[in-house]
């Protein structure tokens, strides 16, 4: 029973390149959340998706960032034209139902470094 | 707006002793959930314990207990019989119930357990 799978674990990009982060939720989970953790800080909510729908993207920067959760396949967080300030750990969490008490399972995160 | 405050950037505790990590929260909602997560140096987010706003009993999970004082809006984590492996960052988080259920995190407390 695999947990939430995120890949890659580490990603290095040059300024101006695109970064694509993948998250496969736990089997049976249809809710996906993305969080960003800057160095020495707590996690900050970015976006909440259900299959084929963005439910809440209030934490997403207005430009260069996008997310999707297609009917088939993993959820993707895409960052276009990366800048040094995008360097952070990006975590994905999934849940089977948004109202369950213990519903969140986090992935191990993707550490993005922009050089 | 909801807010989580962790006022202890770092804490030290001797092995086998108990330690309390502070967390206060601010919300106008009646229904909410409070979580504690552990983040070891390897970076993953590990769920420790959950307390619902309507739960009358303090939550306990093994050596972890949550000292929930609703009137004071505090949800302190108590770790009993500390072990060297407890050295990590600890994050308190709150979930808004009935909305998007996203988590709001505090800035964390770094706990170091010494022999």
């Amino acid at each position: 029973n695999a947990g939430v799978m995120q890949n890659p674990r580490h990603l290095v990009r040059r300024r101006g390149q695109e970064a694509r982060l993948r998250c496969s939720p736990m089997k049976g989970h249809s809710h996906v959340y993305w969080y960003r953790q800057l160095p020495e800080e707590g996690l900050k909510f970015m976006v909440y998706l259900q299959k084929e729908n963005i439910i809440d993207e209030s934490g997403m920067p207005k430009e260069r960032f996008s997310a999707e959760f297609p009917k088939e396949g993993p959820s993707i967080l895409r960052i276009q034209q990366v800048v040094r300030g995008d360097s952070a750990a990006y975590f994905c969490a999934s849940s089977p139902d948004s109202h369950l008490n213990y519903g969140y399972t986090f992935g191990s995160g993707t550490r993005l470094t922009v050089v | 707006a909801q807010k989580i405050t962790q006022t202890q950037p770092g804490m030290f505790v001797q092995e086998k002793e108990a330690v309390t990590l502070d967390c206060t929260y601010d919300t106008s909602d009646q229904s909410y959930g409070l979580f504690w997560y552990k983040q070891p140096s390897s970076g993953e987010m590990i769920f420790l314990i959950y307390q619902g706003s309507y739960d009358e009993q303090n939550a306990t999970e093994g050596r972890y207990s949550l000292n929930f004082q609703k009137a004071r809006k505090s949800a302190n984590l108590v770790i009993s019989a500390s072990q060297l492996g407890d050295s990590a960052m600890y994050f308190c988080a709150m979930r808004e119930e009935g909305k998007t259920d996203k988590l709001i995190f505090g800035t964390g407390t770094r706990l170091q357990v010494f022999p």
Side-chain angles (χ1 to χ4, degrees):
Chain A
N1 186 17
V4 177
M5 304 300 292
Q6 287 189 251
N7 66 81
R9 190 73 193 271
H10 299 275
L11 182 61
V12 179
R13 283 288 177 266
R14 295 187 183 278
R15 281 178 294 171
Q17 291 185 320
E18 178 179 283
R20 289 169 66 91
L21 288 62
R22 295 175 182 77
C23 169
S24 296
M26 282 187 71
K27 189 175 181 180
H29 287 196
S30 58
H31 302 252
V32 166
Y33 299 79
W34 284 93
Y35 292 84
R36 177 166 65 175
Q37 184 180 30
L38 295 172
E40 304 301 318
E41 292 188 14
L43 279 69
K44 296 281 197 303
F45 168 77
M46 297 182 76
V47 62
Y48 164 43
L49 310 103
Q50 294 178 16
K51 285 285 187 181
E52 300 184 280
N53 285 304
I54 297 174
I55 308 300
D56 180 356
E57 57 182 346
S58 59
M60 288 276 273
K62 294 287 184 272
E63 297 178 349
R64 303 187 297 107
F65 285 72
S66 62
E68 62 177 8
F69 188 17
K71 188 176 180 180
E72 301 290 337
S75 175
I76 305 287
L77 179 67
R78 179 186 300 169
I79 311 171
Q80 295 178 301
Q81 299 175 321
V82 296
V83 301
R84 288 245 171 92
D86 296 333
S87 295
Y90 292 82
F91 287 91
C92 167
S94 73
S95 72
D97 182 298
S98 61
H99 300 288
L100 287 181
N101 292 342
Y102 299 92
Y104 298 103
T105 302
F106 277 86
S108 297
T110 293
R111 273 103 190 130
L112 172 65
T113 302
V114 179
V115 297
Chain B
Q2 280 80 2
K3 187 178 179 182
I4 291 281
T5 302
Q6 294 181 256
T7 57
Q8 306 155 315
M11 290 283 285
F12 288 90
V13 65
Q14 191 166 30
E15 202 176 4
K16 299 180 185 176
E17 296 294 312
V19 63
T20 297
L21 306 183
D22 294 341
C23 173
T24 58
Y25 60 93
D26 190 17
T27 181
S28 56
D29 290 342
Q30 296 301 310
S31 180
Y32 51 89
L34 296 158
F35 297 75
W36 277 92
Y37 285 88
K38 173 184 178 181
Q39 187 178 43
S41 57
S42 50
E44 69 268 32
M45 295 292 288
I46 301 169
F47 165 77
L48 295 179
I49 197 166
Y50 167 83
Q51 180 86 39
S53 58
Y54 292 116
D55 295 341
E56 294 184 355
Q57 302 268 354
N58 285 343
T60 60
E61 290 285 349
R63 294 186 299 111
Y64 305 108
S65 60
L66 199 151
N67 185 1
F68 180 46
Q69 298 192 35
K70 196 169 182 177
R72 293 186 178 183
K73 293 189 175 178
S74 74
N76 298 340
L77 177 71
V78 180
I79 305 175
S80 61
S82 297
Q83 302 172 356
L84 295 178
D86 293 334
S87 294
M89 281 291 288
Y90 288 81
F91 292 98
C92 180
M94 178 170 61
R95 180 176 70 187
E96 307 172 276
E97 305 269 326
K99 297 177 182 177
T100 62
D101 292 343
K102 63 191 178 191
L103 292 178
I104 299 162
F105 283 84
T107 51
T109 296
R110 184 174 299 279
L111 176 66
Q112 295 193 51
V113 181
F114 59 94

